[in-house]
């Protein structure tokens, strides 16, 4: 099929002569590719491993690997198998045409029918341009409707005289298919953006595994999707290494994780774990809460040194010499020599538990030296036996007693003198008072631990014993973490790398980070590269411009998002009488439901209960955040505190002033409002009875 094939209208469904029509030929390739994928899956399903495994353990492992492979080869009916095509001018590879899709598909002879989007040969699909065609003569995009290929659009990159998009408006430089895919209504969980990745996003996605990347991106810039696609790319490029070391996606809450959980499986990746920071540090049951001021102190990086001092305070120097009895012989190690061992271990600043394990071996070695001087020939077995000698154990217990992290934090928060001793010069007296419990708990189980307490326990555990490190960690909505939470995440990737995603303007916790330099320092990745995404692909221009009026008042100096989407009439601000507000909000929801796609009703947390009653009285069924929207159930009632990271086609925002007033300070309130204002993909309707915050000004 020559690159100069006539092109279909990208927004209409064309069907002409099934033999000569290029659209029909592309459909035929789709049918053949699906058949090839089905054959690949059937080949795996037919594998018989009964005679190829040595034992039941190998059989179980191999069986699970086969099950995962079968799942990865699933053909999702409503998900396009390929979304683009590249026609190269010259290539050293066999053939000059490649179909780009979500996963690799080959025919019975092993020849590729669809190339994985992560393969090097696919990269020009995202990066090539007329200025830098990268040997691409033609780039073709495909349009789908309910899984059926219905349109295509060509871009001639190596022909300066050709219009940018054949089949689009005369002289157009905008892909209508690309725009249609970006604006496609959202129902269900978050979907991948593999067909719409932009050059600046692709550069981040394909960053090397060895480096940590921080992505600052405003609403609608695709930072979350970029982070998830980066995981998929890294698993493709470094599969064996990451299979050994592991990958983890960390999100702000369970609702968010549920929303994004289908992106990686849609790309054929099934082995990526997901968790919240609270999940990572769940060493005790969290039953309590902290006042904001207390949580800020507990989350401060200075607490790491307080805990370190408290742990090391358990070490003491020996007062008596050690006498080891073996058979008829006695071996004496003077106190000063043991003291030297203890001081050396302290100076090395290794983890408390590792040092505690090393000390008996050091003492045993000193005994073995004396044995050798006396003419004996002890070996390693003798040294291990000496290290287990009751007298040696007694000295170790006295000098380097075991530390239980939860008990240490319990004492620190309940004993004013103990806290003062180890916080001296670090925390003020007022800060220490904020940390102390009004009524100290009697035991670890009885304590009403807060989320911030759990992070302190996790820090203490790491001081005692090293935390397992993963190969790569993705941290989303990172701007909301405290310094101590950053440290908790950083411990999970000390020997690996990270992708940090966030928006400083959306920091809505009292301890939200002020800069990425600070955050990355606490994470233990100060050398990370910071990339900024400023092109918005989701929020309409009218909506993001309105929300951006808040930036100078809450995040001065931060660049506003420049939306590429023009959608006139996408913003409406309506005044309602106080007694009529609930009814008007319900009416706005009904109005929004007349459109295709998902609807989010966002309100201050205190307004959720009355709005729920109003929706129920009106006969409108609604979902809670985290529950999956369907074609039959498209309305979600969202507390403003849980709106971050979520998106809906149409948003009804209730009483903006209440959203601001629901936070402990104005800056945090304005940031919470900024988040709520930027959840809409197609349209935003604001209902208010109280005056709109003055920072927004008149519409």
């Amino acid at each position: 099929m020559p690159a100069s094939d006539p092109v279909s209208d990208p927004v209409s469904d064309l069907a002409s002569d099934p033999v000569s029509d290029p659209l029909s030929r592309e459909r035929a390739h789709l049918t053949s590719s699906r058949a090839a994928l089905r054959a690949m899956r059937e080949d795996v399903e037919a594998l018989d491993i009964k005679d190829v495994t040595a034992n039941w353990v190998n059989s179980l492992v191999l069986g699970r690997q086969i099950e995962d492979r079968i799942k990865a080869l699933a053909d999702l009916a409503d998900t396009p198998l390929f979304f683009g095509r590249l026609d190269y001018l010259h290539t050293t590879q066999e053939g000059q045409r490649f179909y780009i899709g979500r996963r690799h598909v080959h025919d019975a002879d092993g020849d590729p029918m669809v190339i994985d989007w992560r393969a090097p040969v696919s990269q020009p699909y995202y990066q090539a341009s007329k200025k830098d065609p990268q040997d691409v003569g033609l780039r073709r995009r495909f349009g789908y409707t309910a899984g059926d290929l219905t349109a295509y659009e060509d871009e001639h990159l190596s022909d300066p005289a050709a219009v940018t998009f054949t089949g689009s408006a005369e002289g157009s430089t905008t892909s209508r298919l690309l725009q249609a895919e970006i604006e496609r209504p959202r129902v269900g969980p978050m979907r991948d953006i593999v067909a719409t990745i932009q050059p600046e996003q692709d550069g981040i996605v394909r960053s090397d595994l060895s480096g940590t990347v921080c992505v600052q991106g405003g609403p609608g810039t695709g930072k979350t999707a970029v982070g998830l696609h980066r995981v998929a790319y890294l698993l493709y490029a470094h599969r064996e290494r990451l299979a050994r070391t592991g990958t983890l996606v960390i999100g702000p809450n369970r609702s968010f994780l549920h929303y994004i959980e289908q992106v990686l499986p849609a790309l054929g990746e099934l082995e990526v774990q997901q968790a919240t920071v609270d999940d990572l540090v769940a060493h005790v049951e969290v039953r309590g809460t902290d006042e904001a001021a207390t949580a800020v102190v507990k989350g401060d990086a200075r607490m790491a040194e307080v805990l370190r001092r408290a742990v090391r305070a358990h070490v003491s120097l020996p007062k008596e010499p050690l006498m080891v009895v073996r058979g008829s012989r006695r071996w004496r190690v003077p106190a000063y020599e043991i003291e030297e061992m203890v001081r050396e271990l302290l100076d090395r600043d290794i983890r408390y538990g590792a040092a505690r394990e090393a000390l008996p071996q050091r003492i045993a070695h000193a005994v073995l030296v004396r044995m050798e001087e006396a003419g004996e020939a002890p070996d390693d077995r003798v040294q291990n036996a000496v290290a287990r000698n009751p007298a040696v154990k007694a000295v170790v217990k006295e000098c380097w007693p075991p530390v239980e992290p939860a008990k240490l934090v319990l004492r620190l928060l309940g004993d004013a003198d103990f806290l003062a001793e180890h916080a001296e010069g670090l925390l003020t007296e007022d800060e220490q008072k904020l940390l102390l419990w009004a009524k100290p708990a009697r035991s670890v189980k009885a304590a009403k631990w807060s989320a911030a307490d759990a992070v302190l326990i996790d820090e203490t555990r790491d001081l005692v014993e090293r935390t397992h490190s993963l190969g790569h960690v993705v941290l989303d909505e990172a701007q909301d973490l405290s310094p101590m939470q950053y440290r908790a995440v950083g411990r999970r990737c000390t020997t690996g790398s990270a992708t940090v995603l966030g928006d400083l303007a959306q920091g809505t916790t009292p301890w939200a980070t002020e800069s990425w330099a600070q955050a990355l320092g606490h994470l233990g990745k100060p050398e990370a590269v910071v990339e900024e995404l400023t092109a918005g692909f989701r929020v309409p221009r009218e909506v993001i411009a309105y929300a951006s009026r808040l930036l100078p008042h809450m995040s001065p100096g931060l660049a506003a998002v420049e939306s590429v989407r023009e959608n006139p009439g996408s913003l409406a601000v309506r005044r309602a009488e106080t007694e009529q507000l609930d009814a008007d909000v319900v009416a706005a929801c009904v109005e929004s439901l007349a459109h295709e796609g998902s609807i989010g009703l966002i309100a201050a947390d205190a307004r959720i209960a009355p709005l729920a009653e109003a929706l129920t009285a009106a006969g409108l069924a609604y979902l809670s955040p985290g529950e999956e929207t369907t074609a039959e159930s498209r309305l979600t009632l969202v507390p403003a505190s849980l709106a971050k990271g979520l998106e809906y086609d149409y948003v009804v925002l209730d009483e903006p002033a209440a959203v601001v007033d629901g936070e402990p300070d104005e800056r945090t309130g304005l940031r919470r409002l900024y988040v709520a204002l930027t959840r809409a993909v197609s349209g935003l309707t604001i209902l208010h009875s109280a005056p709109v915050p003055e920072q927004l000004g008149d519409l």
Side-chain angles (χ1 to χ4, degrees):
M1 184 165 55
S4 58
D5 284 336
V7 181
S8 71
D9 182 344
V11 292
S12 63
D13 192 5
L14 297 183
S16 55
D17 181 0
V19 177
S20 61
D21 177 33
L23 182 59
S24 297
R25 293 201 295 273
E26 299 291 24
R27 286 170 171 167
H29 186 77
L30 176 61
T31 301
S32 300
S33 299
R34 289 196 182 280
L37 179 62
R38 184 167 58 251
M40 291 170 61
R41 180 184 173 97
E42 290 171 351
D43 287 345
V44 179
E45 291 173 332
L47 289 175
D48 186 355
I49 62 172
K50 293 179 182 177
D51 299 325
V52 298
T53 53
N55 52 55
W56 68 270
V57 176
N58 291 343
S59 178
L60 185 63
V61 171
L62 185 57
R64 288 180 177 173
Q65 290 176 342
I66 290 175
E67 288 177 4
D68 289 343
R69 178 62 176 163
I70 291 171
K71 291 178 182 177
L73 291 173
D75 187 4
L76 307 178
D78 293 333
T79 302
L81 191 55
F82 58 79
F83 47 81
R85 195 185 91 186
L86 288 177
D87 289 5
Y88 280 92
L89 295 175
H90 312 89
T91 179
T92 57
Q93 304 192 41
E94 184 178 349
Q96 293 181 311
R97 177 168 297 165
F98 299 95
Y99 287 84
I100 312 302
R102 285 167 170 76
R103 58 175 60 84
H104 176 83
V105 179
H106 60 254
D107 61 17
D109 297 323
D111 295 326
M113 300 188 71
V114 180
I115 301 294
D116 195 300
W117 66 276
R118 297 167 287 188
V121 75
S122 301
Q123 187 169 2
Y125 183 78
Y126 304 105
Q127 293 286 348
S129 64
K130 281 205 167 188
K131 291 183 179 179
D132 180 21
Q134 301 185 25
D135 200 39
V136 174
L138 177 142
R139 174 167 51 202
R140 175 169 287 181
R141 287 187 170 88
F142 296 105
Y144 288 82
T145 302
D148 295 327
L149 198 162
T150 56
Y152 70 92
E153 186 178 61
D154 283 350
E155 188 178 4
H156 299 274
L157 298 178
S158 299
D159 182 1
V163 294
T164 304
F165 289 100
T166 309
S168 295
E170 185 67 25
S172 173
T173 59
T174 303
S175 167
R176 292 163 64 187
L177 285 182
L178 188 65
Q179 195 74 12
E181 173 63 21
I182 291 172
E183 298 178 4
R184 183 159 55 94
R186 276 108 169 113
V187 174
M190 181 181 182
R191 61 174 182 261
D192 64 75
I193 62 164
V194 65
T196 63
I197 292 174
Q198 299 300 295
E200 63 272 21
Q201 296 172 326
D202 186 67
I204 297 171
V205 167
R206 297 177 192 265
S207 298
D208 189 71
L209 173 62
S210 61
T212 290
V213 179
C214 175
V215 183
Q216 158 65 37
T221 55
K223 57 184 177 297
T224 295
V226 166
L228 295 175
H229 285 67
R230 174 158 161 73
V231 171
Y233 171 76
L234 293 176
L235 285 169
Y236 175 88
H238 308 277
R239 188 166 301 280
E240 290 188 6
R241 177 177 171 182
L242 290 177
R244 295 192 306 270
T245 57
T247 53
L248 176 67
V249 174
I250 302 174
N253 52 58
R254 281 284 153 195
S255 298
F256 178 84
L257 292 178
H258 182 73
Y259 178 62
I260 68 171
E261 67 184 357
Q262 292 304 315
V263 172
L264 289 168
L267 299 172
E269 300 299 343
L270 307 170
E271 296 302 316
V272 180
Q273 300 298 313
Q274 296 183 350
T276 64
V277 174
D278 290 343
D279 293 333
L280 299 182
V281 300
H283 310 300
V284 292
E285 182 182 0
V286 174
R287 298 184 296 141
T289 57
D290 289 317
E291 294 292 333
T294 299
V296 168
V297 178
K298 288 181 178 179
D300 194 289
R302 292 172 294 167
M303 288 301 300
E305 178 59 23
V306 174
L307 293 169
R308 178 179 172 277
R309 291 179 180 179
V311 168
R312 288 169 63 91
H314 287 74
V315 179
S316 62
L317 300 176
K319 300 177 181 177
E320 302 290 339
L322 167 67
M323 190 68 69
V324 177
V325 178
R326 281 187 59 80
S328 61
R329 302 292 299 271
R330 292 187 175 188
W331 308 99
R332 182 178 182 276
V333 181
Y336 77 85
E337 192 169 337
I338 300 175
E339 179 179 335
E340 289 176 358
M341 299 177 194
V342 172
R343 290 188 183 279
E344 181 192 359
L345 289 171
L346 284 172
D347 291 342
R348 289 181 60 190
D349 202 23
I350 60 178
R351 280 174 171 75
Y352 188 91
R356 189 172 187 274
E357 292 177 359
L359 182 58
Q361 291 292 334
R362 297 287 181 89
I363 295 173
H365 178 73
V367 173
L368 258 66
V369 169
R370 285 162 172 75
M371 289 180 176
E372 291 170 347
E373 291 173 346
E376 297 189 15
D379 56 18
D380 289 345
R381 290 176 298 177
V382 175
Q383 178 167 328
N384 290 332
V386 172
R388 296 193 298 269
N389 184 279
V392 174
K393 286 185 175 181
V395 169
V396 172
K397 185 176 181 179
E398 177 188 353
C399 295
W400 216 290
V403 169
E404 295 185 30
K407 282 188 177 180
L408 183 142
V409 176
L410 184 77
R411 183 182 177 190
L412 205 61
L413 300 179
D415 185 335
D417 292 337
F418 186 68
L419 175 61
E421 177 185 353
H422 302 300
E424 183 180 359
L426 293 172
L427 304 179
T428 66
E429 290 185 8
D430 289 341
E431 288 174 326
Q432 293 177 38
K433 289 178 182 178
L434 287 173
L435 291 179
L436 289 168
W437 285 331
K439 184 179 180 181
R442 294 182 177 179
S443 67
V444 171
K445 289 187 176 180
K448 290 186 177 181
W449 299 106
S450 69
D453 296 335
V455 178
L456 297 180
I457 294 172
D458 188 73
E459 177 84 24
T460 309
R461 285 172 64 94
D462 186 70
L463 289 167
V464 175
E465 185 175 352
R466 183 182 297 275
T467 303
H468 174 67
S469 176
L470 299 167
H472 193 76
V473 169
V474 173
L475 175 61
D476 205 354
E477 299 297 346
Q479 72 281 343
D480 277 337
L481 269 60
S482 70
M484 292 299 287
Q485 287 176 316
Y486 280 119
R487 291 176 61 88
V489 174
R491 287 191 284 277
R492 271 73 185 179
C493 56
T494 51
T495 59
S497 56
T499 300
V500 181
L501 312 166
D503 179 12
L504 296 177
Q506 296 186 59
T508 52
T509 57
W511 48 83
T513 189
E514 294 294 330
S515 72
W516 290 122
Q518 291 180 6
L520 293 168
H522 296 312
L523 192 70
K525 306 291 184 183
E527 76 291 345
V529 176
V530 180
E531 303 281 359
E532 187 169 10
L533 298 176
T534 58
F537 302 98
R538 177 175 56 80
V539 184
R541 185 174 301 171
E542 192 175 3
V543 174
I544 194 65
Y546 184 64
S548 294
R549 296 180 180 185
L550 298 176
L551 288 177
H553 306 282
M554 62 185 196
S555 298
L558 202 62
V561 173
E562 294 291 335
S563 178
V564 301
R565 295 187 55 200
E566 290 192 48
N567 190 8
S570 56
L571 174 64
V573 181
R574 302 173 185 171
R575 181 71 181 262
E577 297 299 327
T578 302
E579 62 277 5
Q580 187 64 24
L581 180 60
D582 291 356
D584 286 355
V585 168
V586 171
C589 290
V590 173
E591 180 183 328
S592 297
L593 285 166
H595 299 288
E596 185 181 3
S598 57
I599 314 299
L601 170 53
I602 302 178
D605 292 26
R607 288 275 296 152
I608 293 297
L611 288 176
E613 292 181 8
L615 291 173
T616 301
L620 285 182
Y622 61 89
L623 303 169
S624 298
E627 294 183 286
E628 189 171 318
T629 56
T630 64
E632 294 74 30
S633 186
R634 299 184 289 122
L635 175 62
T636 303
L637 179 57
V638 186
S641 61
L642 295 181
K644 192 173 299 179
L646 305 179
E647 60 180 21
Y648 302 92
D649 287 286
Y650 291 87
V651 166
V652 177
L653 176 58
D654 169 83
E655 201 67 276
V659 174
V660 177
D661 294 341
E663 300 299 327
D665 59 82
E666 183 181 74
R667 189 195 73 163
T668 304
L670 292 176
R671 288 182 170 184
R672 185 76 71 188
L673 178 59
Y674 181 75
V675 171
L677 288 168
T678 54
R679 299 305 94 199
V681 175
S682 297
L684 170 65
T685 301
I686 300 172
L687 277 299
H688 68 100
S689 58
V692 171
E694 61 180 2
Q695 293 85 351
L696 286 172
D698 295 331
L699 180 60

